[in-house]
Amino acid sequence: GPPGAGLRDIRLFFSWFITTFQNVKMGIQYRYQQGKVQVNHNRFLGYTKDAEGNLIIDPEQAETVKRIYREYLEGSSMDKIAAGLEADGLLTGAGGKRWHTSTINKILQNEKYMGDALLQKTFISNHLDKTKVKNNGELPMYYAKGTHEDIVDEETFLLAKARAEQMESEAKPKPDKTLFAGVIKCSK
């Protein structure tokens, strides 16, 4: 063929590929904006999916989620809640027998339990090896309300969030404590 034809074909291919890739990406973002969303339910305690891929409540697991919120709002620590769930033989979303405070914390912080979804919390950074990374503002996130049935109402969720924030601020060292607080003082 004519000189440079191969290079032109490569350029055309890349131009097509980039356009297609951007259209797919925009399609996903459009669906987010329209509230048509696929919420990941794997290892997600309290939910399963129906034939169409919609999140539906797993009644037995939902009771565990409600119990976590109830006990937390009654004043139980995450350690105590975890110990109680283990003692009663209840399984985690991943099907494990061992409950960690980090698991309890994630359940208490997850907006999906009140029927909402924050979308695009993660994204695939490398499409060759499907590397998933946390979205720290590289892409827009979409907050969709009422994408599925809730397990806890909004008030319960917000009360748990407020308690967690209060506990966190109480746990922080007070500014009047200096680096040398508690160090033995010499008498004059």
Side-chain angles (χ1 to χ4, degrees), residues 39-58:
V39 178
N40 185 4
H41 78 294
N42 298 338
R43 309 163 82 86
F44 183 27
L45 187 73
Y47 290 96
T48 186
K49 279 193 176 178
D50 66 14
E52 288 87 55
N54 301 310
L55 276 186
I56 53 168
I57 291 176
D58 175 316

Side-chain angles (χ1 to χ4, degrees), residues 74-172:
E74 286 169 357
S76 293
S77 68
M78 291 185 207
D79 284 317
K80 187 179 176 194
I81 295 168
L85 295 170
E86 283 180 18
D88 293 344
L90 295 167
L91 302 179
T92 66
K97 289 181 164 82
R98 183 104 173 77
W99 284 86
H100 299 277
T101 54
S102 60
T103 309
I104 304 287
N105 191 34
K106 279 183 187 148
I107 289 169
L108 291 168
Q109 304 277 329
N110 194 330
E111 75 289 337
K112 290 186 188 86
Y113 289 113
M114 63 171 178
D116 295 354
L118 179 60
L119 307 164
Q120 216 158 269
K121 283 192 238 190
T122 60
F123 65 95
I124 294 170
S125 69
N126 181 335
H127 287 270
L128 295 175
D129 62 12
K130 303 275 187 253
T131 309
K132 214 180 216 188
V133 295
K134 190 172 190 236
N135 184 357
N136 292 313
E138 295 89 342
L139 292 173
M141 287 192 214
Y142 301 96
Y143 195 92
K145 288 189 82 61
T147 56
H148 52 278
E149 200 181 340
D150 65 356
I151 291 177
V152 296
D153 60 34
E154 189 172 8
E155 185 186 6
T156 302
F157 179 82
L158 294 174
L159 283 169
K161 193 175 173 69
R163 177 170 184 241
E165 285 166 5
Q166 181 189 354
M167 302 278 288
E168 203 176 297
S169 72
E170 286 172 8
K172 282 186 180 137

